[in-house]
Amino acid sequence: MEPLIAAMMAFSRLSGLLLAMPGTASLPPIARLALGLPLTLVLYPAVENLHLPATVPLLIAGIALEVATGITMGMVVSMMVGALTLAGEMISVNVGLSMAQMLDPLTHSRNDILGSLCSMLALGLLMATDTHLHCIQVLGRSFHTFPPGSLLIPNHAVPILVRASATALESGIELAGPVVAFSFLTHLAISLLGRMAPNLNIFFGVGLSLNLSAGLVVFLIAMPAFLYAFLPLLDQAVRRAGEIAGVLF
C-alpha cells in the first residue's frame, strides 16, 4: 500500500508541474496524464522518507498540497517565459501591430502577432535549452528536501512568486526598451514633419506605415540580441522553481 501512495504523491506533484508549465495548456487532459504516468515511473525511485498519512482526509490534503507545490513551481517558470511575450506585446503596441489579432496556441487567448511570435520563440528556447528537463530534474530532487506526504507548507513560496513576477515584468520592459525607444523617436520625427507641413497629413498618410516598417526592421535586426538576453531568465526560472521546494544549486 505504501508504494502505491508514494507513486500517487509523486504523480500529484508532477501533474501540478505539467499543469502550469509553459506549452502544456494546449495539450488535452488525457495527453497530460499520458505524459505524467511514464515520468512518474522514472521519478518513483527518488521518493524517500515518505510520510504515510494516517487517515483518508490527511491523504486527500497531502495530494492537494503536492499538486499545489507542482503548480507553484510551474508558475515560476511560466512567469519567466512570459517576459518575452510581454516584450513582444509592448513592441507590437508601439509599432502599430496591436490591431492585428491571432489565437495564441499556448494560452488559448487572442494576442497580437508579435506577442504570439515571441511566445512561440520562448517555448522553442525553453525546449532547445532543455529547461523543461531541468525542471523535471529539480522536481525529482525536491522529493529529498520536501518528502511527499509531509504536509509542510513552504511559506517562502509567496515571496518567490512575487520576486519572479517582478523580475519578469522588469525583464520584459528591458527587452522591449530599444525597439520602443526607436518607435518613440520615429513618432517624434513624424510629428515634427507634420508640424512643418500640416497640409500633407503625414501622420495618417505615411506615418503609420513608416513607423510599422521601421519598427519591424529594428525588431528583426535586434532579434539575435533579443533572444540572447532572454536566455538567463530560463536559468533563473529553474533556480526559483528549486527554491520553492528547497533544492539547492
Side-chain angles (χ1 to χ4, degrees):
M1 190 64 180
E2 184 174 345
L4 180 60
I5 295 178
M8 187 184 303
M9 292 287 187
F11 177 75
S12 299
R13 188 178 299 186
L14 181 61
S15 298
L17 178 67
L18 295 177
L19 182 66
M21 278 286 289
T24 58
S26 58
L27 297 177
I30 299 299
R32 298 181 194 179
L33 292 176
L35 181 62
L37 288 176
L39 290 176
T40 302
L41 296 178
V42 174
L43 295 176
Y44 176 76
V47 179
E48 297 179 356
N49 302 323
L50 175 68
H51 295 268
L52 187 64
T55 61
V56 175
L58 289 178
L59 176 61
I60 296 175
I63 293 176
L65 183 59
E66 294 300 320
V67 174
T69 301
I71 289 176
T72 306
M73 296 173 67
M75 284 177 59
V76 172
V77 182
S78 296
M79 287 179 182
M80 293 299 181
V81 173
L84 193 63
T85 305
L86 174 63
E89 292 178 353
M90 292 182 61
I91 294 173
S92 183
V93 169
N94 281 271
V95 301
L97 273 177
S98 57
M99 294 180 290
Q101 301 288 323
M102 66 176 294
L103 181 65
D104 186 358
L106 302 182
T107 61
H108 290 187
S109 61
R110 292 197 174 273
N111 296 327
D112 52 75
I113 294 177
L114 285 185
S116 299
L117 174 63
C118 290
S119 178
M120 292 184 226
L121 289 175
L123 182 60
L125 287 176
L126 184 140
M127 298 295 180
T129 56
D130 292 335
T131 303
H132 60 299
L133 299 180
H134 295 323
C135 292
I136 295 175
Q137 182 182 12
V138 167
L139 186 135
R141 292 170 60 184
S142 69
F143 291 133
H144 298 279
T145 58
F146 184 45
S150 57
L151 295 178
L152 296 176
I153 299 177
N155 296 325
H156 58 282
V158 175
I160 292 175
L161 287 175
V162 173
R163 290 196 299 269
S165 61
T167 301
L169 179 60
E170 179 182 359
S171 301
I173 296 174
E174 290 178 352
L175 289 172
V179 182
V180 172
F182 182 83
S183 177
F184 172 77
L185 294 177
T186 304
H187 278 294
L188 183 60
I190 294 172
S191 300
L192 292 177
L193 289 176
R195 294 289 293 179
M196 294 173 61
N199 294 329
L200 295 179
N201 196 13
I202 293 178
F203 184 80
F204 292 101
V206 297
L208 295 177
S209 299
L210 180 62
N211 181 53
L212 175 60
S213 302
L216 291 179
V217 169
V218 173
F219 178 73
L220 180 62
I221 295 175
M223 178 69 73
F226 187 71
L227 297 179
Y228 183 77
F230 170 72
L231 290 178
L233 291 179
L234 297 178
D235 294 333
Q236 288 192 40
V238 177
R239 291 181 178 275
R240 293 185 185 276
E243 289 176 2
I244 291 177
V247 177
L248 300 178
F249 291 87

